[in-house]
Coordinates of all heavy atoms in Angstrom, one line a residue:
S1 N 18.1 -5.5 -6.3 CA 19.4 -5.1 -5.7 C 20.5 -5.3 -6.7 O 21.7 -5.5 -6.3 CB 19.7 -5.9 -4.4 OG 18.7 -5.7 -3.5
T2 N 20.3 -5.1 -8.0 CA 21.4 -5.3 -9.0 C 22.5 -4.3 -8.8 O 23.7 -4.6 -9.1 CB 20.8 -5.2 -10.4 OG1 20.1 -3.9 -10.5 CG2 19.8 -6.3 -10.7
R3 N 22.2 -3.1 -8.3 CA 23.3 -2.1 -8.2 C 23.9 -2.1 -6.8 O 24.9 -1.4 -6.6 CB 22.7 -0.7 -8.4 CG 22.3 -0.4 -9.8 CD 21.7 0.9 -10.0 NE 20.3 1.0 -9.3 CZ 19.6 2.0 -9.2 NH1 20.0 3.2 -9.7 NH2 18.4 2.0 -8.6
F4 N 23.5 -2.9 -6.0 CA 23.9 -3.0 -4.6 C 25.3 -3.7 -4.5 O 26.2 -3.2 -3.8 CB 22.9 -3.6 -3.6 CG 23.3 -3.5 -2.2 CD1 23.3 -2.3 -1.5 CD2 23.6 -4.7 -1.5 CE1 23.7 -2.2 -0.2 CE2 24.0 -4.6 -0.1 CZ 24.0 -3.4 0.5
G5 N 25.4 -4.8 -5.1 CA 26.7 -5.5 -5.1 C 26.8 -6.3 -3.8 O 26.0 -6.1 -2.9
G6 N 27.8 -7.1 -3.7 CA 28.0 -7.9 -2.5 C 27.2 -9.2 -2.5 O 26.3 -9.4 -3.4
P7 N 27.4 -10.0 -1.5 CA 26.7 -11.3 -1.4 C 25.3 -11.3 -1.0 O 24.5 -12.2 -1.2 CB 27.6 -12.1 -0.4 CG 28.2 -11.0 0.5 CD 28.4 -9.8 -0.4
L8 N 24.9 -10.2 -0.4 CA 23.5 -10.1 0.2 C 22.6 -9.1 -0.7 O 23.1 -8.1 -1.2 CB 23.6 -9.5 1.7 CG 24.3 -10.4 2.7 CD1 24.4 -9.7 4.0 CD2 23.7 -11.7 2.8
R9 N 21.3 -9.4 -0.6 CA 20.4 -8.5 -1.2 C 20.1 -7.4 -0.1 O 20.3 -7.6 1.1 CB 19.1 -9.2 -1.5 CG 19.2 -10.2 -2.7 CD 17.9 -10.9 -3.0 NE 17.4 -11.7 -1.9 CZ 17.8 -12.9 -1.7 NH1 18.6 -13.6 -2.5 NH2 17.3 -13.6 -0.7
K10 N 19.6 -6.2 -0.5 CA 19.4 -5.2 0.4 C 18.3 -5.6 1.5 O 18.5 -5.1 2.6 CB 18.8 -3.9 -0.3 CG 19.9 -3.1 -0.9 CD 19.4 -1.7 -1.4 CE 18.6 -1.9 -2.7 NZ 18.3 -0.6 -3.2
T11 N 17.4 -6.4 1.1 CA 16.4 -6.8 2.1 C 17.1 -7.7 3.2 O 16.5 -7.9 4.3 CB 15.3 -7.6 1.5 OG1 15.9 -8.7 0.7 CG2 14.4 -6.8 0.6
E12 N 18.3 -8.2 3.0 CA 18.9 -9.1 4.0 C 19.9 -8.3 4.8 O 20.4 -8.8 5.9 CB 19.7 -10.2 3.3 CG 18.7 -11.1 2.4 CD 19.5 -12.1 1.6 OE1 20.6 -11.7 1.1 OE2 19.0 -13.2 1.4
V13 N 20.3 -7.1 4.4 CA 21.4 -6.4 5.1 C 20.8 -5.7 6.4 O 19.7 -5.2 6.4 CB 21.9 -5.3 4.1 CG1 22.9 -4.4 4.9 CG2 22.6 -5.9 3.0
L14 N 21.6 -5.8 7.4 CA 21.1 -5.3 8.7 C 21.9 -4.0 9.1 O 23.0 -3.8 8.8 CB 21.4 -6.3 9.8 CG 20.8 -7.7 9.6 CD1 21.1 -8.6 10.9 CD2 19.3 -7.6 9.4
I15 N 21.1 -3.1 9.7 CA 21.7 -1.8 10.3 C 21.3 -1.9 11.7 O 20.1 -2.0 12.1 CB 21.3 -0.6 9.6 CG1 21.7 -0.5 8.2 CG2 21.8 0.6 10.4 CD1 21.2 0.7 7.4
N16 N 22.3 -1.8 12.7 CA 22.0 -1.9 14.1 C 21.2 -3.2 14.4 O 20.3 -3.2 15.3 CB 21.3 -0.7 14.6 CG 22.1 0.6 14.5 OD1 23.3 0.5 14.4 ND2 21.4 1.7 14.5
G17 N 21.5 -4.3 13.7 CA 20.9 -5.5 13.9 C 19.5 -5.7 13.3 O 18.9 -6.8 13.6
L18 N 19.0 -4.7 12.6 CA 17.6 -4.9 12.0 C 17.7 -4.6 10.5 O 18.6 -3.8 10.1 CB 16.7 -3.9 12.7 CG 16.4 -4.2 14.2 CD1 15.8 -3.0 14.9 CD2 15.4 -5.4 14.2
P19 N 16.8 -5.1 9.7 CA 16.9 -4.9 8.2 C 16.6 -3.5 7.9 O 15.9 -2.7 8.6 CB 15.8 -5.9 7.7 CG 14.9 -6.1 8.9 CD 15.8 -6.1 10.1
I20 N 17.1 -3.1 6.7 CA 16.9 -1.7 6.2 C 15.4 -1.4 6.2 O 15.0 -0.2 6.6 CB 17.6 -1.6 4.9 CG1 19.1 -1.6 4.9 CG2 17.2 -0.2 4.2 CD1 19.8 -1.6 3.6
W21 N 14.6 -2.2 5.7 CA 13.2 -1.9 5.5 C 12.5 -1.7 6.9 O 11.5 -0.9 7.0 CB 12.5 -3.0 4.7 CG 12.5 -4.4 5.3 CD1 13.5 -5.4 4.9 CD2 11.7 -5.0 6.3 NE1 13.2 -6.5 5.7 CE2 12.2 -6.3 6.5 CE3 10.7 -4.5 7.1 CZ2 11.7 -7.2 7.5 CZ3 10.1 -5.3 8.0 CH2 10.6 -6.7 8.2
W22 N 13.0 -2.3 7.9 CA 12.4 -2.1 9.3 C 12.6 -0.7 9.7 O 11.7 -0.1 10.3 CB 13.0 -3.2 10.2 CG 12.6 -3.0 11.6 CD1 13.2 -2.4 12.7 CD2 11.4 -3.5 12.2 NE1 12.5 -2.4 13.8 CE2 11.4 -3.2 13.6 CE3 10.3 -4.3 11.7 CZ2 10.3 -3.5 14.4 CZ3 9.3 -4.6 12.5 CH2 9.3 -4.3 13.9
H23 N 13.8 -0.2 9.5 CA 14.1 1.2 9.9 C 13.2 2.1 9.0 O 12.7 3.1 9.6 CB 15.6 1.5 9.6 CG 16.5 0.8 10.5 ND1 16.7 1.2 11.9 CD2 17.4 -0.3 10.3 CE1 17.6 0.4 12.4 NE2 18.0 -0.5 11.5
A24 N 13.0 1.8 7.8 CA 12.3 2.6 6.9 C 10.8 2.8 7.3 O 10.2 3.8 7.1 CB 12.3 2.1 5.5
L25 N 10.2 1.8 7.9 CA 8.8 1.8 8.3 C 8.6 2.4 9.7 O 7.4 2.6 10.1 CB 8.2 0.5 8.1 CG 8.6 -0.7 8.9 CD1 8.0 -0.7 10.4 CD2 8.1 -2.0 8.3
Q26 N 9.7 2.5 10.5 CA 9.4 2.9 11.9 C 8.7 4.2 12.1 O 7.7 4.3 12.9 CB 10.8 3.0 12.6 CG 11.4 1.6 12.8 CD 10.5 0.6 13.5 OE1 10.0 0.8 14.6 NE2 10.2 -0.5 12.7
P27 N 9.0 5.3 11.4 CA 8.2 6.5 11.6 C 6.7 6.4 11.4 O 6.0 7.1 12.0 CB 9.0 7.6 10.8 CG 10.3 7.0 10.5 CD 10.1 5.5 10.5
F28 N 6.4 5.6 10.4 CA 5.0 5.5 10.1 C 4.2 4.7 11.2 O 3.1 5.0 11.4 CB 4.9 4.6 8.8 CG 5.5 5.3 7.6 CD1 6.8 4.9 7.2 CD2 4.9 6.3 6.9 CE1 7.4 5.6 6.1 CE2 5.5 7.0 5.8 CZ 6.8 6.6 5.4
R29 N 4.9 3.8 11.9 CA 4.3 3.2 13.0 C 3.8 4.1 14.1 O 2.9 3.8 14.8 CB 5.2 2.1 13.7 CG 5.6 0.9 12.8 CD 6.6 0.0 13.6 NE 6.0 -0.4 14.8 CZ 6.7 -0.8 15.9 NH1 8.0 -0.8 15.8 NH2 6.1 -1.2 17.0
F30 N 4.6 5.2 14.2 CA 4.3 6.2 15.3 C 3.4 7.3 14.9 O 3.4 8.3 15.7 CB 5.6 6.6 15.9 CG 6.3 5.5 16.6 CD1 7.3 4.7 15.9 CD2 6.0 5.1 17.9 CE1 8.0 3.7 16.5 CE2 6.7 4.1 18.5 CZ 7.7 3.3 17.8
D31 N 2.9 7.3 13.7 CA 1.9 8.3 13.3 C 0.5 7.9 13.5 O 0.1 6.8 13.0 CB 2.1 8.7 11.8 CG 1.4 10.1 11.5 OD1 0.2 10.0 11.5 OD2 2.1 11.0 11.1
S32 N -0.3 8.6 14.3 CA -1.6 8.1 14.7 C -2.6 8.0 13.5 O -3.6 7.3 13.7 CB -2.2 9.1 15.7 OG -2.3 10.4 15.2
R33 N -2.2 8.5 12.3 CA -3.1 8.4 11.2 C -2.9 7.1 10.4 O -3.7 6.8 9.5 CB -2.9 9.6 10.3 CG -3.3 11.0 10.9 CD -2.8 12.1 10.1 NE -1.4 12.3 10.3 CZ -0.7 13.4 10.0 NH1 -1.4 14.4 9.4 NH2 0.6 13.5 10.2
V34 N -1.9 6.4 10.7 CA -1.6 5.1 9.9 C -2.5 4.0 10.5 O -2.4 3.7 11.7 CB -0.1 4.7 10.0 CG1 0.1 3.4 9.4 CG2 0.7 5.8 9.3
R35 N -3.2 3.3 9.7 CA -4.1 2.2 10.0 C -3.7 0.9 9.4 O -4.1 -0.1 9.8 CB -5.5 2.5 9.6 CG -6.2 3.7 10.3 CD -6.5 3.3 11.8 NE -7.1 4.4 12.5 CZ -6.4 5.3 13.2 NH1 -5.1 5.2 13.3 NH2 -7.1 6.3 13.8
Q36 N -2.8 0.9 8.4 CA -2.4 -0.3 7.7 C -0.9 -0.1 7.2 O -0.6 0.9 6.6 CB -3.3 -0.7 6.6 CG -3.0 -2.0 6.0 CD -4.0 -2.3 4.8 OE1 -4.6 -1.4 4.2 NE2 -4.2 -3.6 4.5
L37 N -0.1 -1.1 7.5 CA 1.3 -1.2 7.0 C 1.4 -2.4 6.1 O 1.1 -3.5 6.5 CB 2.2 -1.3 8.2 CG 2.6 -0.1 9.0 CD1 3.4 -0.5 10.2 CD2 3.4 1.0 8.1
I38 N 1.8 -2.1 4.8 CA 2.0 -3.2 3.8 C 3.4 -3.2 3.3 O 4.0 -2.1 3.0 CB 1.1 -2.9 2.6 CG1 -0.4 -2.9 3.1 CG2 1.3 -4.0 1.5 CD1 -1.3 -2.4 2.0
L39 N 4.1 -4.3 3.4 CA 5.5 -4.4 2.9 C 5.4 -5.3 1.6 O 4.9 -6.4 1.7 CB 6.4 -5.1 3.9 CG 7.8 -5.2 3.5 CD1 8.5 -3.9 3.4 CD2 8.6 -6.2 4.3
V40 N 5.9 -4.7 0.5 CA 6.0 -5.4 -0.7 C 7.4 -6.0 -0.9 O 8.4 -5.3 -1.0 CB 5.7 -4.6 -1.9 CG1 5.6 -5.5 -3.2 CG2 4.4 -3.8 -1.7
A41 N 7.5 -7.3 -0.8 CA 8.8 -8.1 -0.7 C 9.1 -8.7 -2.0 O 8.3 -8.9 -2.9 CB 8.7 -9.1 0.4
P42 N 10.4 -9.1 -2.2 CA 10.8 -9.8 -3.5 C 10.0 -11.0 -3.7 O 10.0 -11.9 -2.8 CB 12.3 -10.1 -3.3 CG 12.7 -9.2 -2.2 CD 11.5 -9.0 -1.3
S43 N 9.4 -11.2 -4.9 CA 8.6 -12.4 -5.1 C 9.5 -13.6 -5.3 O 9.1 -14.8 -4.9 CB 7.7 -12.2 -6.4 OG 8.6 -11.9 -7.5

């Protein structure tokens, strides 16, 4: 998140009370072809 700026990392920022990455994965949850969801987080 070097280009994001501010006191928070992007993984910590909330939209509508939920993290950005949570919104990003929602449509995949509702596709019947998805069998595995993997999130790669900051080490």
Side-chain angles (χ1 to χ4, degrees):
S1 303
T2 54
R3 290 175 293 176
F4 186 68
L8 297 177
R9 296 181 294 274
K10 277 189 287 186
T11 52
E12 300 171 324
V13 174
L14 305 182
I15 297 177
N16 296 338
L18 292 164
I20 293 175
W21 57 264
W22 176 262
H23 292 283
L25 65 77
Q26 291 309 299
F28 300 98
R29 291 181 59 203
F30 294 95
D31 193 294
S32 60
R33 292 166 286 191
V34 174
R35 292 290 179 268
Q36 186 181 24
L37 281 170
I38 301 168
L39 179 74
V40 188
S43 58

